[in-house]
Amino acid sequence: MKILTFISPSHENTSALIKALHSLFSASIKNTGSNPYGIAFPAIQSDTVGQLISVYCPEEVDVILTYPNILSLLSKKKVSCAEIKSISNIKPTYYRAFIRDRKLERGAPIQAMKRMMSSDKENKEQLAKALIGRYFQSPLPQINLSSQSNQRVFTLNIGVQDSHTPSNQEVFSFNSYGLSSYKNPMYLPVECME
């Protein structure tokens, strides 16, 4: 397994890279039924995913680097390739799952109001307030994106879960954003940032 790390100088460029990777990963799911490519954010903090985006590739990185949407971002210098490493060359200090946290997405004010309006429950207003309260209570690092199918703007909320042991899966399978879920976390080896 290889780790390809990109540097993105701005939030907009990070969004463009994630959108391009999502397009590639969605095609993989459509063609093979799964996505073996995982995304990690080595410099993630409580309020930002940071400027580094790593892609864990099951084989060679050419599939990523020659993908037209990513090639375009590289040629326009919106992102740059920082390094390519073999997973066997890193000494992980811990294992981390990067998770799409949809609970916050559902609690976003616009989505909460839509849910409230479509609900047939008598306590619609209380339900919406509870959802919105959850949204403001625990912010996570976010990436702003727009849906490829209907261009709806949304935020991809990134949660993390750490472990001292790797995932016991022999084959990794991530969602179309290269992330895992709380129900099925894919723990990737993480090297300490120096």
Side-chain angles (χ1 to χ4, degrees):
M1 182 178 276
K2 301 279 188 188
I3 305 171
L4 167 62
T5 302
F6 292 99
I7 297 175
S8 171
S10 72
H11 294 296
E12 292 80 21
N13 293 343
T14 299
S15 296
L17 177 61
I18 298 300
K19 194 171 184 176
L21 289 168
H22 171 59
S23 176
L24 174 66
F25 300 162
S26 294
S28 175
I29 290 171
K30 184 178 179 183
N31 294 335
T32 66
S34 69
N35 172 29
Y37 301 98
I39 292 182
F41 303 94
I44 195 168
Q45 297 175 12
S46 61
D47 61 341
T48 178
V49 294
Q51 292 186 312
L52 300 175
I53 299 96
S54 293
V55 181
Y56 287 67
C57 305
E59 297 166 14
E60 292 302 315
V61 298
D62 293 348
V63 173
I64 304 287
L65 291 173
T66 59
Y67 190 67
N69 297 0
I70 294 170
L71 210 49
S72 172
L73 292 172
L74 289 166
S75 66
K76 293 177 183 174
K77 300 192 186 314
K78 291 191 174 191
V79 296
S80 59
C81 183
E83 67 180 351
I84 300 169
K85 278 187 174 181
S86 173
I87 204 165
S88 59
N89 292 339
I90 70 166
K91 293 182 178 145
T93 52
Y94 57 96
Y95 297 87
R96 176 169 273 178
F98 294 87
I99 297 168
R100 181 179 184 184
D101 193 314
R102 297 195 73 146
K103 290 179 281 188
L104 281 180
E105 199 176 298
R106 291 185 190 108
I110 293 170
Q111 285 87 347
M113 288 302 152
K114 284 181 182 176
R115 192 168 274 118
M116 180 188 86
M117 297 308 289
S118 65
S119 175
D120 58 357
K121 295 181 180 176
E122 290 181 26
N123 58 348
K124 286 184 194 183
E125 191 172 338
Q126 290 170 328
L127 177 66
K129 284 180 183 175
L131 287 169
I132 291 172
R134 182 172 63 192
Y135 179 76
F136 289 109
Q137 184 179 23
S138 55
L140 289 172
Q142 299 178 337
I143 301 169
N144 296 318
L145 293 173
S146 59
S147 168
Q148 291 181 351
S149 58
N150 61 13
Q151 302 308 310
R152 176 182 65 89
V153 175
F154 68 98
T155 56
L156 192 64
N157 295 280
I158 311 297
V160 294
Q161 196 168 298
D162 291 336
S163 174
H164 293 294
T165 57
S167 294
N168 57 7
Q169 293 95 336
E170 286 186 23
V171 177
F172 287 108
S173 181
F174 299 90
N175 70 12
S176 63
Y177 290 97
L179 302 168
S180 56
S181 68
Y182 285 112
K183 286 183 181 178
N184 190 23
M186 300 283 158
Y187 292 103
L188 298 168
V190 177
E191 221 173 6
C192 252
M193 298 297 298
E194 295 179 12

